[in-house]
Amino acid sequence: MDIVFRDVEHRYQINTPFEKRALYDIHVDIRSGSYVAVIGHTGSGKSTLLQHFNGLLQPTKGTVHLGDYTIVAGKKEKHLKPLRKKVGIVFQFPEHQLFEETVEKDICFGPMNFGMSEQEAKARVGEWLALVGLPEEVRHKSPFALSGGQMRRVAIAGVLAMEPEVLVLDEPTAGLDPRGRKEMMDMFANLQRQKKMTIVLVTHSMEEAARYADDIIIMHRGTIVRRGTPEQIFRNVDDLIHLGLDVPETVLFQRAIEQKFGIQFPEPCLTIEDVERSLQTLFTRVKRI
Amino acid sequence: MEVAVRVDDVSFQYANEQTYALQNISFQVYKGEWVTIVGHNGSGKSTLAKLLIGLLPPTSGTIHVCGIPLNEETIWDVREQLGIVFQNPDNQFVGTTVQDDVAFGLENRGIQKEEMKKRINEALKKVKMEDFIHHEPHRLSGGQKQRVAIASAIALQPNVIILDEATSMLDPSGKKEVLHVMQSLRREHDMTVISITHDLNEVAKADRVIVMNKGKIVLEGTPAHIFSYGEKLEEMGLDLPFSLQLSRRLKNNGIPMTADHLTMEGLVSELWTLYSAMSNIVTK
């Protein structure tokens, strides 16, 4: 499912003294099956943007195309239920939305709501638990008896159970410990590869964006200011700093080395493995001279 | 040195749980000190924070805050000494506007109106939310909400502030700003900071670090001392600073590093020394 935004604007509380323009001039093209990271300051419009991905918010100007759906500003779109099955949004702290007595019931709630029989949903719970890396034992436990990280996985399993084509994630790793964060990010990367899902990740972590995304969108004060591959985005370090954004440590380190050694690496180092390889090459070369 | 928080042999068990969430925890935090508590999810850090503010009573052991023993009778006196900011700001709003929300705690303490206004403005300015004074907290973004929660805590000018992953929803520059505000409050008011976090930059700035694992304190010391445990920290699911990780990887690749570097400057400069030595040998 391709996603296309054309000249989208969103104003909150329109025609009131509190009217606020949260988004403007938004043009987005997201290819089906790609992995896009959205980064930007708090309040830059990231969360407003992602609520347009399944029509939770509708544009106050412009057009949003989501696969076969077209949402046009000013026309109230009513039949959005099938769309919401296709686009799963995992909000910040999704574990706060758990409500059922057991993990099984909580995960089945979504698919049953979209017409799956209880029998089928229950039969598939094991599969969904495995997708998010939870053991079968948690099935009959209360979700509230689990740890924070496990609760978040249950909430995500509930979204995956609707078998969305697009998975939109709003800071899915906030508050997790480093191991939990890495496991969760690897899980999303797997979903993209194995299930050909489109992933839209809203994150503050430049490291996550650099390591996992095919494409990066940078938002600033309600609009998109940069768009490109991680290599393109992180080649321009000064530009990022100018926008008040952080630079991945790998890129900062690369810059420090380049300045000290008076050399230039051909590509930006986006992961610690990239840095390792570049230094390895550098030191092997000097040995060979 | 004056002790701000003293925890003596505290254990805690949740009802219906077999194991202890906290086991024989003892430590002291001195006035004006910045102590960071780290540990993976479920290590008992947040339970400890709840005990410190009297939300949960210890199963055994005692807690003193600014010299006051914490118990049912003294809980309100103890809370006057404390400010706490939790991870998820949505759970801590009471006011219908940002201003009302920050005012809530001040009103509870019977602060005069003029003084209250002054403190609200100052606190909101410190977290860069002064333009949002009449906004509804629920319409703010996640990061903005967290700033307001922080403003509400600092407006009370507590002797001890507890940050329970309070910066986890902020972007990197927001995190830096909040840490900066905390540092300056610490200097101006001799405020004590207990920060529970996964953020390595926050850990590196602490005076002292306490590492928790499975409800126990397993390590305690300066950030440099703690990071020197390298793999042991990784086994507990914790991260190591980038420079340290890279130093170790390079060593494994046969680049003869002499130290595990905590800073990027240190690492770059040793690499340069090694590199120039190697190229000298070769040219000779």
Side-chain angles (χ1 to χ4, degrees):
Chain A
M1 182 171 126
D2 294 325
I3 298 168
V4 179
F5 282 52
R6 283 290 167 262
D7 196 24
V8 166
E9 175 198 86
H10 190 88
R11 289 171 191 265
Y12 283 113
Q13 293 170 286
I14 206 159
N15 299 329
T16 74
F18 298 105
E19 180 173 323
K20 190 186 146 216
R21 188 178 71 171
L23 290 179
Y24 68 96
D25 277 353
I26 300 284
H27 295 269
V28 182
D29 294 83
I30 296 175
R31 245 180 320 109
S32 184
S34 62
Y35 193 140
V36 178
V38 181
I39 53 189
H41 272 284
T42 49
S44 62
K46 304 184 301 282
S47 297
T48 307
L49 178 72
L50 72 86
Q51 290 178 70
H52 284 77
F53 280 90
N54 72 352
L56 268 184
L57 288 180
Q58 300 188 9
T60 51
K61 193 184 138 193
T63 322
V64 176
H65 301 277
L66 303 154
D68 302 334
Y69 281 84
T70 301
I71 300 174
V72 184
K75 279 194 204 155
K76 199 94 184 144
E77 198 59 55
K78 286 194 182 113
H79 304 287
L80 290 171
K81 202 170 164 186
L83 174 65
R84 299 219 166 113
K85 185 179 178 303
K86 286 186 178 167
V87 182
I89 300 191
V90 177
F91 287 100
Q92 292 174 1
F93 298 102
E95 60 273 26
H96 292 288
Q97 300 173 30
L98 297 172
F99 68 102
E100 278 284 11
E101 288 161 36
T102 67
V103 167
E104 181 181 74
K105 282 187 184 172
D106 213 298
I107 296 177
C108 291
F109 179 80
M112 282 166 60
N113 217 1
F114 282 108
M116 191 183 280
S117 72
E118 187 176 348
Q119 204 185 356
E120 191 194 346
K122 278 189 176 169
R124 297 191 56 189
V125 165
E127 182 190 322
W128 296 321
L129 284 174
L131 266 185
V132 295
L134 281 173
E136 183 65 31
E137 293 96 87
V138 302
R139 179 192 283 252
H140 297 293
K141 280 195 180 175
S142 158
F144 303 101
L146 304 177
S147 77
Q150 287 178 319
M151 282 166 75
R152 189 167 300 178
R153 282 161 194 270
V154 172
I156 293 171
V159 173
L160 293 176
M162 290 181 272
E163 309 194 306
E165 294 171 28
V166 181
L167 189 60
V168 181
L169 305 153
D170 193 359
E171 292 183 48
T173 61
L176 295 184
D177 59 36
R179 185 187 290 161
R181 220 177 295 157
K182 183 169 182 304
E183 283 172 4
M184 193 146 296
M185 291 308 296
D186 288 344
M187 173 181 106
F188 298 135
N190 266 332
L191 287 169
Q192 186 213 4
R193 269 195 304 272
Q194 290 171 4
K195 305 249 163 191
K196 309 273 178 256
M197 263 184 211
T198 310
I199 308 268
V200 180
L201 169 78
V202 172
T203 182
H204 285 318
S205 162
M206 295 295 162
E207 275 74 22
E208 282 178 4
R211 183 179 274 270
Y212 293 96
D214 303 323
D215 261 310
I216 295 177
I217 288 173
I218 298 180
M219 305 232 5
H220 190 66
R221 295 188 182 155
T223 199
I224 294 173
V225 290
R226 299 287 179 280
R227 166 85 200 247
T229 63
E231 286 78 13
Q232 287 164 343
I233 295 285
F234 294 119
R235 188 167 289 146
N236 220 332
V237 176
D238 294 319
D239 187 40
L240 291 175
I241 295 171
H242 179 71
L243 286 168
L245 293 169
D246 252 30
V247 178
E249 280 183 306
T250 52
V251 177
L252 281 180
F253 178 79
Q254 171 182 3
R255 203 152 94 127
I257 287 282
E258 286 175 343
Q259 278 168 2
K260 188 93 181 175
F261 286 56
I263 52 165
Q264 193 112 45
F265 291 152
E267 287 293 322
C269 297
L270 300 180
T271 62
I272 196 164
E273 290 82 8
D274 289 349
V275 177
E276 214 180 323
R277 257 193 309 276
S278 303
L279 286 174
Q280 200 69 34
T281 319
L282 192 67
F283 275 82
T284 319
R285 209 175 289 148
V286 71
K287 271 188 210 160
R288 274 208 217 107
I289 299 174
Chain B
M1 262 194 290
E2 206 179 318
V3 175
V5 176
R6 202 171 89 212
V7 176
D8 287 308
D9 203 22
V10 162
S11 296
F12 180 79
Q13 192 175 19
Y14 282 100
N16 308 322
E17 288 282 332
Q18 307 285 316
T19 51
Y20 277 86
L22 293 175
Q23 241 177 329
N24 306 102
I25 300 285
S26 297
F27 66 92
Q28 295 186 340
V29 180
Y30 299 102
K31 194 167 167 38
E33 197 183 16
W34 184 304
V35 170
T36 291
I37 303 178
V38 297
H40 60 82
N41 293 123
S43 61
K45 299 172 309 223
S46 293
T47 305
L48 180 61
K50 285 178 189 149
L51 258 66
L52 289 178
I53 57 165
L55 274 180
L56 295 170
T59 312
S60 65
T62 56
I63 295 170
H64 286 76
V65 178
C66 302
I68 312 167
L70 174 61
N71 57 44
E72 253 175 71
E73 280 95 68
T74 60
I75 189 160
W76 296 106
D77 300 327
V78 166
R79 286 198 186 151
E80 273 193 21
Q81 311 296 321
L82 293 171
I84 186 162
V85 185
F86 290 106
Q87 183 184 59
N88 185 356
D90 275 327
N91 298 343
Q92 34 193 330
F93 283 122
V94 285
T96 50
T97 65
V98 165
Q99 173 174 253
D100 286 358
D101 202 77
V102 181
F104 181 78
L106 296 167
E107 276 175 339
N108 273 346
R109 300 216 177 150
I111 308 277
Q112 293 299 316
K113 199 174 170 196
E114 284 312 306
E115 170 71 10
M116 202 158 86
K117 272 191 182 163
K118 200 179 112 215
R119 287 214 207 165
I120 293 170
N121 287 330
E122 275 175 11
L124 287 174
K125 206 176 256 172
K126 281 199 169 123
V127 297
K128 301 215 165 118
M129 285 298 289
E130 68 268 34
D131 295 341
F132 294 83
I133 191 157
H134 299 298
H135 284 238
E136 288 174 63
H138 290 100
R139 292 191 179 273
L140 300 175
S141 78
Q144 290 170 332
K145 284 176 189 169
Q146 210 157 19
R147 285 161 192 262
V148 174
I150 290 165
S152 301
I154 62 180
L156 297 170
Q157 300 177 352
N159 286 321
V160 180
I161 195 157
I162 301 171
L163 305 171
D164 187 0
E165 293 184 40
T167 61
S168 62
M169 295 304 293
L170 296 179
D171 54 50
S173 61
K175 274 185 193 175
K176 268 180 221 148
E177 278 164 29
V178 167
L179 290 185
H180 186 73
V181 169
M182 293 296 162
Q183 295 280 18
S184 70
L185 283 172
R186 191 162 76 118
R187 273 194 305 273
E188 288 160 29
H189 303 286
D190 211 9
M191 192 174 75
T192 308
V193 182
I194 300 176
S195 144
I196 295 172
T197 186
H198 293 306
D199 187 328
L200 290 173
N201 296 320
E202 227 177 298
V203 177
K205 292 218 169 65
D207 298 321
R208 197 148 53 94
V209 183
I210 293 175
V211 183
M212 294 193 57
N213 193 30
K214 295 178 185 156
K216 289 183 186 164
I217 292 179
V218 287
L219 291 172
E220 201 179 327
T222 59
H225 174 75
I226 296 295
F227 286 134
S228 72
Y229 283 88
E231 274 132 40
K232 201 170 168 192
L233 295 175
E234 283 182 324
E235 278 164 29
M236 288 188 278
L238 300 174
D239 241 351
L240 295 178
F242 171 79
S243 313
L244 193 70
Q245 283 184 42
L246 188 60
S247 306
R248 291 174 174 232
R249 278 169 181 257
L250 294 175
K251 217 185 285 177
N252 290 338
N253 279 334
I255 296 180
M257 309 288 303
T258 57
D260 287 339
H261 291 278
L262 280 182
T263 64
M264 226 179 248
E265 295 77 42
L267 177 56
V268 171
S269 116
E270 180 169 15
L271 282 171
W272 175 242
T273 313
L274 284 171
Y275 185 79
S276 10
M278 283 166 83
S279 26
N280 274 337
I281 296 168
V282 176
T283 43
K284 272 176 199 164

